[in-house]
Amino acid sequence: MHKLLKALLVGALVALVVAPAAAQDDLGNVIIGSTFGSTGVNFNPITSSTATEQDIMNLLYPGLVGVNPETAIIEPNAPGGLAKSWEVSEDGTVYTITLKDYFQWSDGTPVTANDIAISWAAITSGQVETPLAYLTSYITDVRVIDDYTLEVTIPEPSCESVGNFYFQAFPSHLVMDADGNVDWQAVNTMTMSSPEDLEVGPYALSAQIPDQQTALVPVAEGQWPAEQEGPILNDGYIQKVVGDQTVQIEQFLAGEIDFLTFVPPDRRADIRSAEGISSYEFSPGDTWDYFAVNHANPENPQPARDENGNLIEQDPHPLFAVREVRQALAHAINMDDVITAAVFGEGSKMQSMYAPGTWVYNDEVPFYEYDPDRARELLAEAGWTDEDGDGVIECHGCAHAEEGTPFSFTLYTNQGNTRREAFGQIIQDQLAEVGIEVDFQTIDFNVLVDMLDQQTFDAVILGWRNSYPFSPDYTQIFGTSGDVIGGSNSVSYVSEEMDELMRRALTLPGCDPQERAEIYGQAAQLFHEDLPYIVQFSTNGMYAWQDTLQGVDPYPANLLWNLTEWTRTE
Amino acid sequence: MIKYTIRRLIQAIPIFFGITLLSYLLMTAAPGGPTSALAMDPRIPPQQRQAMAARLGVNDPWPVQYLRWLLGDDWMRVDTDGDGLADIARLIPLDADGDGRPEPAGRRKGILRGDFGESFFQRRPVITMIEEKIGPTLELGLASLIVGLVIGLPVGIIAAVRRGGWFDNVTRVLAVMFNAVPVFWLGLILLMIFSFRLQLLPSGGQCGLVLSGGCPPIYQRLEYLLLPTLVLSTGAIAIYSRYIRASMLDVIHQDYMRTALSKGLPGKDVWFKHGARNALIPLATFLGPAITGLLSGAVITETIFSWPGLGRLGVTAVIQQDFPVVMAVVIMASIATILGFLLSDILYAIIDPRIRFD
């Protein structure tokens, strides 16, 4: 045993010391990014479904439309987009899109309209399982006119329509025969994750180690239209997988990762004070959290409209159906405290669903001041007072609850989200001060989603992620069309006025941004009065990168738009 | 012994199917499903989410889902005219998503025909995913098992021989401490010290970043194995050492030990050759479950050290409700458990010739 132990220890030490180190690639001018969880493994733009894969695919294939990074608006001829220009028919439902003609696949085949239209054909074939299937709700048809012209038809005019033209180039020539027949089985099974697979550029896959890293190198010289789309100045990009956020931040501080697209609020002070690191902060960030209550009785959930589109009279929630009660809740919560506790002060209060900094933000909409006295007053006016002296108010002449019913409810959020847990604890404490008893529970995300889908909850803390580019159309969240089983308007906020404002802003002839912002401003004012959600805040965004990187030029919600032009020096 | 092993393996078959049946039942009974996360995307209307779930088959009754996993769906939806779409449906609807068209013909053969299915999210064969993970999992698991045994056994034996002495007391305190220390805390502390402060060891991953190729052979990247192995083996060292100490204390007082000592044999030979061999017998019961743990991965250690093992894969699959992947991991764990306990029994017989199963 003794000898065996010795031999093993000596063997291990010898192996460590004398084992030849693996040959290292020169990563001097290679940009190192990071992601959580796992590497992407499916880079087929028709079937891929994760954000990590999308990050890589954005560097392999152009999309149909691109975003102007400066304005964050989808525009013709924008970087990363195939569309050179487009024309809209008089009725606003047909987009004729002309494509740039200088992109090519790595086998030399030009990128044509077929490479975009095949995604639509896949969706409508019924033979491909694709996460893009939801686009059938927003697009009626995609038709190839010629090699570089496409026609996209939408069901009704919409100022946000191009945001749904969410197609990326796919090498159709690999699966389509001369008669236009497509081998859908091949489309289903192609993962396009090998260095031998085709790409357009600016990068090509070069190495992938599952759940470790994905490496990209610039495409062969001459393939990438540098003159039109900008040069590639670095020697590649590696997306490294990190299992844990604490480790990710420490790796960044140690210089092992070149940039972070999100810095958790509790570590921002470390980043700001670190030497050799630059940062860029912006508001709003890409997420916002809210506290909302169910407007309808959770024991009798109903959609907002019947089969004929007529409004159904909702069974009101015994506690929250009265607007003044919701306003009292808003006055009872100090959002400064929430932001301090939940995101260490790294957030922005929102008086409506639109955060400060968005192009539709209306600064004339007031905030509900933290005023517990005013909250008690409003509750008393609504028939909620504490007459038995137990510290909890009861119904005495309230509108929808039985006499003597205590103002007590359960508030849910998803387990493991420390930001929302802090938010909930403050709500629980501060509502107790005005005599409201909150049973705050954190539960499994899937259980919570089930309750939201079925609309069987009293109150919830959750959040939304802003789209990029930002879309202010919240028809599904606050419109009656979203108040269905499984819909996004799970709080059953029913307002024809909100429906109308959303519709007007979405279908405004000419889509003038200023006019649309005014309409969305009215929607924000209505939100403030009706309070579909009680209070909400946005977590500010922060990017950070090593000073060894040159060429970083961030915009809000868009750090990587010119990644090809970044360089790194040791 | 051979007869016994074969009998045990045959007995394992119903146990194996029982485990998979129960797992499937529990998995499908859990709230939500693989499309739950889509609820957070308001662009996706509820009917689309429903349709997606229907196409994945997760809305079918669980016995049908289980049957599909077991026997495949190439006989459930059959394409007779070669257009890629099914014309015949058995047990499941021809048009699951209600879009007015039949679904594509079934392609899955089921695990009884060696097809583990395809991940709902990664869209590739589950068996490929398992193959990718099994190597790193075994690397880390075996390394920590070896380190645990190599350090834990001598420590336990010496502690028993020197019972009540300083070595025994110190190792007892250390064993309790290491057994109590949370793995994530220990992992982060070691990373802080050895990777970020002293910069002596890598801060995670199975190998360094490369622009081409893959991870080099294990002997060229041992430094990546050191910290996760250390973290994973501390608990094992603590448990093995205390277990072998207790077992050794029983052995020490046996007549044959006294006889050996009184015959003048050196103490070292008596303790390690005669005592340790007998003290190891109860440890055989430990090795079976240890192998189970070894194959099912170490979730927290893998997460902190970004180690691409089965544990992380399994947990992610459970959270996402990626049924085919969950079931593949369950199968791995079931096989490991069944074989682990069988191995324990066989080891028992090898270590102690008095034990006969036939």
Side-chain angles (χ1 to χ4, degrees):
Chain A
M1 176 63 79
H2 203 61
K3 280 178 191 164
L4 176 70
L5 175 66
K6 266 188 188 166
L8 278 170
L9 285 175
V10 170
L13 282 173
V14 168
L16 265 178
V17 174
V18 304
Q24 292 288 308
D25 287 324
D26 177 13
L27 303 181
N29 190 24
V30 175
I31 313 296
I32 315 289
S34 57
T35 186
F36 279 121
S38 55
T39 41
V41 286
N42 176 15
F43 301 119
N44 176 340
I46 294 177
T47 59
S48 159
S49 63
T50 70
T52 301
E53 285 162 349
Q54 189 59 57
D55 287 345
I56 295 293
M57 288 194 304
N58 289 343
L59 300 169
L60 301 176
Y61 330 105
L64 173 57
V65 291
V67 181
N68 179 335
E70 205 170 330
T71 58
I73 290 173
I74 294 173
E75 288 175 0
N77 219 13
L82 274 172
K84 188 165 75 178
S85 62
W86 58 72
E87 284 171 16
V88 188
S89 66
E90 225 168 87
D91 68 354
T93 61
V94 181
Y95 286 69
T96 306
I97 302 172
T98 306
L99 306 183
K100 297 169 182 172
D101 59 5
Y102 47 73
F103 282 112
Q104 56 176 313
W105 293 98
S106 43
D107 64 355
T109 308
V111 176
T112 66
N114 274 325
D115 297 335
I116 292 295
I118 191 170
S119 293
W120 178 254
I123 293 168
T124 52
S125 72
Q127 298 195 49
V128 179
E129 184 49 56
T130 166
L132 301 176
Y134 78 94
L135 291 178
T136 52
S137 303
Y138 303 98
I139 293 171
T140 321
D141 192 24
V142 177
R143 213 156 56 88
V144 175
I145 304 298
D146 61 41
D147 275 357
Y148 297 103
T149 314
L150 271 174
E151 205 173 77
V152 181
T153 309
I154 56 175
E156 53 191 359
S158 163
C159 296
E160 300 286 333
S161 57
V162 283
N164 293 318
F165 296 173
Y166 196 77
F167 303 111
Q168 277 186 294
F170 177 93
S172 61
H173 60 285
L174 297 184
V175 293
M176 193 184 280
D177 66 19
D179 300 326
N181 300 314
V182 180
D183 179 355
W184 294 120
Q185 181 62 18
V187 175
N188 258 319
T189 52
M190 283 169 75
T191 57
M192 299 170 74
S193 54
S194 145
E196 287 74 43
D197 283 314
L198 301 187
E199 72 289 312
V200 179
Y203 292 101
L205 274 169
S206 64
Q208 182 160 46
I209 307 175
D211 289 356
Q212 292 275 282
Q213 64 144 67
T214 302
L216 308 176
V217 291
V219 291
E221 206 166 330
Q223 183 189 326
W224 177 248
E227 205 173 300
Q228 295 92 338
E229 297 290 323
I232 308 169
L233 302 180
N234 49 58
D235 296 335
Y237 170 65
I238 295 179
Q239 188 192 52
K240 174 183 182 179
V241 175
V242 186
D244 177 83
Q245 193 162 56
T246 306
V247 177
Q248 184 194 35
I249 300 293
E250 292 302 329
Q251 286 191 351
F252 174 70
L253 289 169
E256 295 177 25
I257 295 171
D258 286 334
F259 66 91
L260 294 175
T261 52
F262 176 75
V263 181
D266 60 325
R267 299 304 304 271
R268 291 185 184 182
D270 297 334
I271 298 291
R272 288 186 193 113
S273 61
E275 279 182 24
I277 286 173
S278 298
S279 61
Y280 175 80
E281 300 183 43
F282 55 98
S283 171
D286 61 355
T287 57
W288 56 284
D289 294 280
Y290 61 82
F291 159 50
V293 296
N294 200 339
H295 297 216
N297 188 345
E299 287 173 15
N300 183 25
Q302 298 174 92
R305 295 180 185 275
D306 63 19
E307 286 169 0
N308 302 319
N310 302 314
L311 281 181
I312 298 172
E313 196 177 336
Q314 299 288 304
D315 185 357
H317 192 284
L319 307 180
F320 306 123
V322 174
R323 188 165 63 173
E324 285 70 23
V325 169
R326 298 197 296 274
Q327 290 175 344
L329 297 181
H331 276 300
I333 298 165
N334 186 341
M335 286 307 289
D336 291 326
D337 288 351
V338 169
I339 289 172
T340 303
V343 290
F344 303 85
E346 306 281 348
S348 304
K349 284 195 285 186
M350 295 163 65
Q351 64 272 62
S352 76
M353 64 288 216
Y354 302 126
T358 51
W359 62 271
V360 291
Y361 179 67
N362 179 358
D363 60 5
E364 289 173 11
V365 177
F367 285 94
Y368 283 91
E369 294 302 324
Y370 174 56
D371 187 350
D373 290 336
R374 178 69 185 136
R376 286 188 201 97
E377 228 174 83
L378 282 166
L379 287 167
E381 283 169 20
W384 294 95
T385 49
D386 179 16
E387 293 188 4
D388 58 10
D390 67 349
V392 178
I393 55 176
E394 312 94 35
C395 170
H396 298 286
C398 68
H400 303 297
E402 281 181 27
E403 279 295 292
T405 306
F407 203 122
S408 173
F409 65 90
T410 306
L411 170 65
Y412 294 106
T413 195
N414 56 312
Q415 249 163 18
N417 187 317
T418 52
R419 190 174 72 233
R420 290 177 190 156
E421 284 168 11
F423 193 0
Q425 277 154 10
I426 297 228
I427 289 171
Q428 188 178 36
D429 291 347
Q430 297 192 338
L431 291 188
E433 286 175 24
V434 298
I436 294 174
E437 189 178 54
V438 179
D439 173 19
F440 177 47
Q441 293 185 20
T442 57
I443 56 173
D444 175 69
F445 177 77
N446 287 319
V447 178
L448 186 58
V449 167
D450 258 12
M451 291 169 94
L452 292 172
D453 277 350
Q454 303 303 320
Q455 305 184 349
T456 53
F457 63 96
D458 281 327
V460 66
I461 294 172
L462 257 177
W464 291 110
R465 182 174 288 276
N466 289 331
S467 55
Y468 182 80
F470 174 71
S471 167
D473 176 43
Y474 285 163
T475 304
Q476 288 304 317
I477 301 178
F478 301 115
T480 52
S481 58
D483 180 12
V484 291
I485 296 299
S488 299
N489 182 2
S490 43
V491 297
S492 285
Y493 170 60
V494 179
S495 163
E496 287 191 288
E497 196 181 345
M498 183 64 87
D499 280 352
E500 177 57 15
L501 287 169
M502 286 290 158
R503 192 198 60 76
R504 267 178 54 209
L506 190 64
T507 59
L508 184 77
C511 298
D512 177 58
Q514 206 171 340
E515 255 185 89
R516 291 184 69 209
E518 277 171 28
I519 302 171
Y520 285 121
Q522 292 169 36
Q525 179 62 38
L526 182 63
F527 181 104
H528 171 79
E529 289 160 14
D530 283 354
L531 291 176
Y533 292 173
I534 306 298
V535 282
Q536 51 277 318
F537 71 92
S538 150
T539 305
N540 297 341
M542 184 186 202
Y543 299 139
W545 63 92
Q546 308 286 348
D547 286 346
T548 48
L549 289 185
Q550 289 87 44
V552 182
D553 184 16
Y555 289 102
N558 194 349
L559 173 68
L560 302 176
W561 69 276
N562 69 335
L563 180 74
T564 52
E565 293 175 26
W566 294 10
T567 55
R568 188 170 79 144
T569 50
E570 288 296 332
Chain B
M1 177 60 77
I2 293 170
K3 267 188 193 168
Y4 171 77
T5 308
I6 293 170
R7 198 168 63 234
R8 282 286 303 271
L9 285 174
I10 292 170
Q11 282 169 355
I13 294 171
I15 297 174
F16 171 76
F17 283 106
I19 293 171
T20 60
L21 187 68
L22 200 63
S23 305
Y24 218 103
L25 180 62
L26 287 172
M27 195 171 58
T28 49
T35 59
S36 285
L38 300 178
M40 294 294 103
D41 188 345
R43 293 173 308 169
I44 301 178
Q47 55 273 28
Q48 289 284 0
R49 194 148 57 96
Q50 276 298 318
M52 204 176 285
R55 285 194 296 272
L56 290 175
V58 295
N59 288 348
D60 296 331
W62 76 263
V64 174
Q65 290 188 51
Y66 181 70
L67 209 59
R68 177 164 45 216
W69 175 76
L70 212 58
L71 303 172
D73 62 0
D74 54 353
W75 58 278
M76 287 183 167
R77 280 204 192 98
V78 185
D79 171 25
T80 55
D81 58 10
D83 66 351
L85 298 173
D87 314 300
I88 299 169
R90 299 184 180 99
L91 296 178
I92 50 178
L94 197 60
D95 173 18
D97 59 7
D99 66 352
R101 284 178 313 194
E103 302 306 322
R107 291 183 290 125
R108 301 263 69 92
K109 292 181 163 54
I111 64 144
L112 289 185
R113 286 186 283 164
D115 181 358
F116 281 66
E118 199 175 68
S119 161
F120 289 160
F121 294 88
Q122 297 201 6
R123 306 300 310 277
R124 61 193 189 126
V126 171
I127 196 71
T128 311
M129 296 164 71
I130 298 286
E131 278 167 9
E132 285 169 0
K133 305 290 182 225
I134 197 79
T137 298
L138 283 175
E139 250 176 42
L140 185 57
L142 276 174
S144 55
L145 184 69
I146 290 168
V147 171
L149 288 173
V150 164
I151 299 178
L153 297 191
V155 166
I157 292 168
I158 295 168
V161 173
R162 308 262 183 265
R163 186 186 181 190
W166 68 266
F167 186 83
D168 186 25
N169 288 328
V170 168
T171 52
R172 181 165 52 221
V173 170
L174 286 178
V176 171
M177 206 172 84
F178 282 127
N179 206 23
V181 165
V183 170
F184 69 87
W185 182 85
L186 183 64
L188 287 175
I189 291 292
L190 290 177
L191 274 179
M192 290 294 174
I193 296 170
F194 292 104
S195 301
F196 300 126
R197 296 287 174 269
L198 301 175
Q199 302 201 335
L200 288 175
L201 291 167
S203 60
Q206 201 190 1
C207 59
L209 299 177
V210 292
L211 266 186
S212 56
C215 275
I218 186 168
Y219 61 87
Q220 290 187 331
R221 52 179 170 82
L222 286 173
E223 68 273 26
Y224 287 87
L225 200 57
L226 270 182
L227 286 183
T229 302
L230 193 59
V231 169
L232 210 54
S233 56
T234 44
I237 293 170
I239 292 170
Y240 295 159
S241 66
R242 298 318 290 165
Y243 200 78
I244 200 75
R245 177 187 176 274
S247 178
M248 190 70 183
L249 282 176
D250 284 343
V251 170
I252 279 173
H253 299 296
Q254 298 291 321
D255 290 344
Y256 62 85
M257 294 290 283
R258 233 185 342 261
T259 309
L261 281 170
S262 60
K263 277 169 70 183
L265 276 176
K268 201 171 68 175
D269 287 353
V270 176
W271 309 135
F272 283 96
K273 284 186 181 164
H274 297 279
R277 184 159 182 201
N278 287 294
L280 280 175
I281 296 170
L283 197 75
T285 53
F286 253 72
L287 283 179
I291 288 169
T292 308
L294 189 145
L295 277 175
S296 52
V299 180
I300 298 170
T301 310
E302 287 175 7
T303 303
I304 290 171
F305 292 99
S306 310
W307 192 266
L310 271 177
R312 262 168 74 196
L313 177 74
V315 169
T316 309
V318 168
I319 292 169
Q320 293 180 326
Q321 303 205 2
D322 194 345
F323 296 167
V325 180
V326 175
M327 287 309 292
V329 175
V330 165
I331 288 175
M332 291 297 301
S334 311
I335 292 174
T337 307
I338 291 166
L339 291 182
F341 281 106
L342 182 62
L343 189 71
S344 274
D345 289 350
I346 294 169
L347 277 177
Y348 242 92
I350 292 171
I351 296 170
D352 186 352
R354 291 169 301 180
I355 297 170
R356 285 284 173 267
F357 291 112
D358 295 335

